[in-house]
Amino acid sequence: VAQVCQARADLILLLPSTLCLLALARVWRMARNGNPAPTRAVVTFWLALLVAVLTKGPITPWIAVATAIGLASGEPAGRRWRWLARLRPWLGLASVAAVVALLAWAQSRVVGGSVLAATAYRETIGRVLAGIDGHSGPPGLHALLVPVLLWPGSLGLFGALAWSWRKARRRGTRGASPSCRFLLAWALPAWLGFELAATKLPHYTLPLHVPLLLLSARWLLRLAARRPVAWPAGLRWPLRAWQFLPALVVPAGSGTVVWLASGSVVYAGLAALAVLAPLVLAASLVKLGPVSGLAWALAGWALGAVILGFALPRWSAPWTAVRLAAAVVAADPGGERPLADAAWGEASLPLLARRLVTPLAVEAVPDWLDEHPDGLVLLPASGVGDLPVREAIGGLDLVHGRRVYLALVGAPASRERPED
């Protein structure tokens, strides 16, 4: 049952992680001004940290520690860590550790201590040291993805980071900007850790998108307050790149998906032109009025998203897991036959098929079928042999970036249990 009810926690993590860091910012600002930390902020920090730990382990604690290190790096040596005492760390850490230990004890009674320890190691240190489930990438991959993932907020990211860095390190009578210091300390040190970790998925840095978007929005609002609006020279080349990149990629991508979904070149061409038109208009207006140009660019981007929203569900190749689950349900509507997986390997299958799935190596399939004569197995289409094929399914495995050809097979007819 636990396997069937498995779900990802990355989106849920965003809320407690953000609350935790905002509470940390409140405590830090009050400490800078020589004021005691508000009890509400301290309680919010530890409660949000606890919820984040229960949601996805050590991710938020790592971000909080990295933020504290980033803030300490700009303070005099004698008082770098003194402000952390206002968080009541011993009481907070003891409370979080007690809840986590109680939960670990309850889980170990169900799955066993060794299994729990091995899983915890694999999902924490193991993901740092080696790419798990094929999700690996070189350092810098997250940085390459962030302009696309944060679009259109990333439009101001190029200038915002440079401007905020200068503001955070500014000396003199006006001093450094506390807001810029904290947001950079929130985003950059923890980001470095994600880049150095061996396992990489685009959503891993989601909790760090918040400070990046805040920095970008603050800088764009600062520009918009100018009369007339003037884009700095340092932003012109990334702005032009963002003009032409969406104007090429978004219409082409929209048209390609429509063609794959419908098989019609005419519909694909119309979709591409519909998205291209406002983007071309945006490029022509950006010199006369940056705000108008940005509005038309966003309109083209939104239109592309709407077209993709209609076309993607009608393109069958990416929805391999859905078709695998449908094939399993068609072969066994009552959910009585055991199911093994020697080819797909994704947690989506038990969720969609609503039944337990036994992971197998291909070499172990004959022995498993001997033990379960009425069982069903997912195999690579090339390794079916003389087993009867219930359904052959080809498609894309987007998680691992591969094309798959799979077959749902059963035991030879002579070994199957007679149906009622």
Side-chain angles (χ1 to χ4, degrees), residues 99 103 145 169 183 226 229 231 263 267 271 322 341 376 412 415:
V99 175
L103 180 62
L145 291 175
R169 296 179 61 84
L183 291 174
R226 295 182 178 182
V229 177
W231 296 95
Y267 289 161
V322 176
D341 177 14
L376 298 171
R415 292 192 294 174

Side-chain angles (χ1 to χ4, degrees), residues 339-394:
L339 176 64
D341 177 14
W344 181 240
E346 286 293 328
S348 53
L349 182 60
L351 290 168
L352 295 171
R354 294 186 177 275
R355 65 192 70 202
L356 294 176
V357 179
T358 302
L360 284 181
V362 175
E363 299 79 13
V365 170
D367 293 336
W368 188 85
L369 286 174
D370 286 338
E371 296 177 9
H372 306 86
D374 59 343
L376 298 171
V377 185
L378 279 172
L379 278 172
S382 59
V384 170
D386 60 349
L387 296 174
V389 177
R390 302 288 180 173
E391 187 166 348
I393 298 167

